[in-house]
Amino acid sequence: MVKMAIQLFHKTIIALSLFTVCFAISPLHAEETGIEQRGYWVETAVKLADPILTNLADNTLKINMPYQSLEASRREFSFLEAFGRLICGIAPWLELGPDNTPEGQLRAKYIDLTLKGLKNAVNPDAPDYMVFGKPMQPLVDAAFLAQGLLRAPEQLWGNLDEQGKQWVITELKRSRNITPSENNWLLFSSIVEAAILEFTGEYDEHRLMYGIEKFRDQWYKGDGIYGDGPNFHMDYYNSFVIHPMLTDILIIMKKHNIRGCEFLDTQVERHTRYAEQLERFISPEGTFPAVGRSIVYRFGAFHALSHAALIHILPESITPAQVRSALTVVMRNQLKSPENFDKNGWLKVGFTGDQISMSESYINTGSVYLCASVLLPLGLPATDEFWSAPFTPWTNLKAWNGQQVKADKALKN
């Protein structure tokens, strides 16, 4: 009797263990097609964009946007933070332009709202005119806005009227009043100059090149990782800022044949390697380590991975569909709580909900819209492999299921 009880106990433990493992490594929504998952990404883009763009187009952003922060004195900067970071993420989607599909008509709506809002943001006489030149924060978000405009040269910059273009350039140049810190902030100056170069043909050589040279010559730590300044930081700033901005700046420099543009090839190798690492950070369940500064940017931690997918520089070891499959689960996990948004649809400060204690003093309601950077692959048409291929398990899902996964190898360059 005792022996039978022990055997039954062992069988129960084994069954429960197998159930737990199977449950843990069988992601929800795995039956969805890529097009269905694209629908969820578009829905997310609209949910993030609507309060910001609708209010800014109506010149009511400063009236209606809430302010949640541990620091009371940064409200005047929060509006540009929200707008610049949102546009940085959704610009490639808008760049696809309008068409007769429901999604294409949504794009038409948000292109129009963005253009109206952009003019209001840079019009000195508009109620929603934003601060670009007052130290220090506006340099950051002038940079994210500049990066967004570079990602939508036809639908945003190309459709902006001449007065609007003049105002934008004036405000981007106004950010030159701000001296960046010796860290990732140097790239904010560089990408502002890259945008001015692209849109006007002129630029400040020192502000363009200084950050590129620092990262290229002094701050690379190896295996695709840069220091945030001279020191290594265990956080996601290689993804939030460093790789996406370095790559985009160098692409513009190469286009205009600027001295130092040959570094692009090496940077793409490093970006690709870092994207490979980011994909491996995603657990079988679709979570990732909550480590380092600015973790309340949520899935903005995958900016560099989404960027690599958008510009087709993913490593051979990773298919576009597995990136889509993994990021979809991550996004669903982080947004499943209704506490992520307030009653008017504004994003709250948090990691998976309303968690302001996880933030730093420089974080506010506007800051957290950097999460929109995960949406970059919406700039790929629905026919692209990223969307058209079926659900594909990502590296950790395969590894924890006992499937074959190739060994991970460091980048020597």
Side-chain angles (χ1 to χ4, degrees):
M1 180 72 70
V2 173
K3 183 177 181 181
M4 290 178 61
I6 292 173
Q7 289 175 337
L8 179 61
F9 175 76
H10 285 165
K11 288 180 180 179
T12 302
I13 293 297
I14 291 170
L16 286 172
S17 299
L18 288 173
F19 172 79
T20 301
V21 171
C22 290
F23 177 79
I25 62 178
S26 298
L28 297 174
H29 308 287
E31 74 285 354
E32 287 182 330
T33 66
I35 298 304
E36 289 171 329
Q37 290 185 335
R38 182 182 177 92
Y40 172 73
W41 286 49
V42 170
E43 177 186 319
T44 301
V46 167
K47 191 167 188 177
L48 293 172
D50 206 61
I52 296 171
L53 297 183
T54 300
N55 278 284
L56 186 56
D58 290 341
N59 262 318
T60 56
L61 185 67
K62 290 184 178 181
I63 295 173
N64 292 329
M65 181 174 149
Y67 182 76
Q68 184 188 21
S69 179
L70 296 172
E71 173 57 63
S73 65
R74 302 173 65 90
R75 182 177 178 83
E76 65 178 325
F77 307 132
S78 66
F79 311 109
L80 181 57
E81 289 187 68
F83 182 52
R85 294 169 190 226
L86 174 72
I87 298 307
C88 178
I90 68 169
W93 179 56
L94 301 180
E95 183 68 356
L96 289 179
D99 59 39
N100 292 325
T101 66
E103 183 186 323
Q105 294 185 17
L106 265 181
R107 288 196 298 270
K109 172 184 174 180
Y110 287 100
I111 290 167
D112 181 61
L113 288 174
T114 301
L115 290 170
K116 289 177 180 176
L118 180 57
K119 280 198 70 174
N120 289 336
V122 295
N123 177 357
D125 296 322
D128 276 344
Y129 176 59
M130 295 181 181
V131 178
F132 279 80
K134 181 178 178 179
M136 296 282 294
Q137 183 63 37
L139 174 60
V140 179
D141 301 295
F144 284 124
L145 179 59
Q147 190 170 26
L149 294 175
L150 287 170
R151 289 170 170 173
E154 293 184 13
Q155 296 301 327
L156 295 186
W157 185 256
N159 284 323
L160 192 63
D161 64 33
E162 287 306 311
Q163 178 65 83
K165 289 178 178 178
Q166 290 176 21
W167 281 336
V168 168
I169 296 301
T170 295
E171 297 305 325
L172 291 181
K173 288 182 176 180
R174 202 183 303 279
S175 74
R176 289 171 171 171
N177 296 333
I178 303 169
T179 300
S181 304
E182 290 282 314
N183 53 27
N184 71 87
W185 278 50
L186 296 181
L187 297 178
F188 300 142
S189 294
S190 294
I191 201 156
V192 167
E193 294 307 317
I196 294 172
L197 167 64
E198 175 70 2
F199 300 140
T200 73
E202 59 103 351
Y203 63 100
D204 180 313
E205 182 177 14
H206 177 74
R207 288 180 75 90
L208 176 69
M209 293 303 304
Y210 183 68
I212 298 293
E213 291 167 352
K214 281 286 189 177
F215 280 95
R216 182 191 66 195
D217 301 335
Q218 299 182 31
W219 293 347
Y220 183 60
K221 303 303 179 184
D223 199 19
I225 304 291
Y226 290 98
D228 190 1
N231 298 320
F232 170 76
H233 291 243
M234 185 59 247
D235 56 31
Y236 293 99
Y237 270 81
N238 268 267
S239 188
F240 292 142
V241 175
I242 297 169
H243 278 292
M245 285 201 178
L246 270 174
T247 299
D248 280 347
I249 295 161
L250 287 161
I251 287 172
I252 296 299
M253 287 173 58
K254 185 172 183 179
K255 178 180 177 181
H256 293 270
N257 197 28
I258 302 296
R259 173 186 61 83
C261 67
E262 64 278 0
F263 177 52
L264 176 62
D265 291 340
T266 298
Q267 166 53 24
V268 166
E269 285 186 289
R270 294 174 180 177
H271 189 158
T272 296
R273 170 58 181 157
Y274 186 67
E276 186 173 39
Q277 294 168 347
L278 280 176
E279 192 269 350
R280 285 176 175 259
F281 288 172
I282 302 173
S283 77
E285 301 84 6
T287 62
F288 62 96
V291 61
R293 297 171 298 150
S294 305
I295 198 62
V296 294
Y297 294 164
R298 294 177 171 88
F299 34 70
F302 296 98
H303 187 177
L305 177 60
S306 288
H307 191 208
L310 174 69
I311 63 175
H312 295 116
I313 60 168
L314 289 172
E316 293 181 2
S317 62
I318 296 175
T319 67
Q322 77 186 71
V323 174
R324 182 200 78 229
S325 301
L327 290 179
T328 303
V329 179
V330 170
M331 290 162 62
R332 288 186 185 278
N333 279 336
Q334 288 201 285
L335 294 183
K336 63 186 176 184
S337 168
E339 293 301 312
N340 281 288
F341 297 89
D342 72 13
K343 64 180 181 180
N344 295 314
W346 296 95
L347 196 59
K348 294 182 182 178
V349 176
F351 184 65
T352 59
D354 186 4
Q355 301 157 293
I356 197 166
S357 61
M358 294 184 75
S359 71
E360 292 77 18
S361 61
Y362 56 81
I363 299 290
N364 62 70
T365 301
S367 314
V368 295
Y369 281 91
L370 191 58
C371 69
S373 61
V374 79
L375 300 170
L376 296 181
L378 281 176
L380 299 169
T383 54
D384 188 274
E385 180 187 355
F386 187 93
W387 300 109
S388 63
F391 173 88
T392 306
W394 51 97
T395 300
N396 267 297
L397 184 55
K398 289 188 286 187
W400 284 92
N401 267 322
Q403 298 176 30
Q404 293 296 323
V405 173
K406 290 184 179 180
D408 190 36
K409 295 182 180 180
L411 178 68
K412 296 179 180 179
N413 188 3

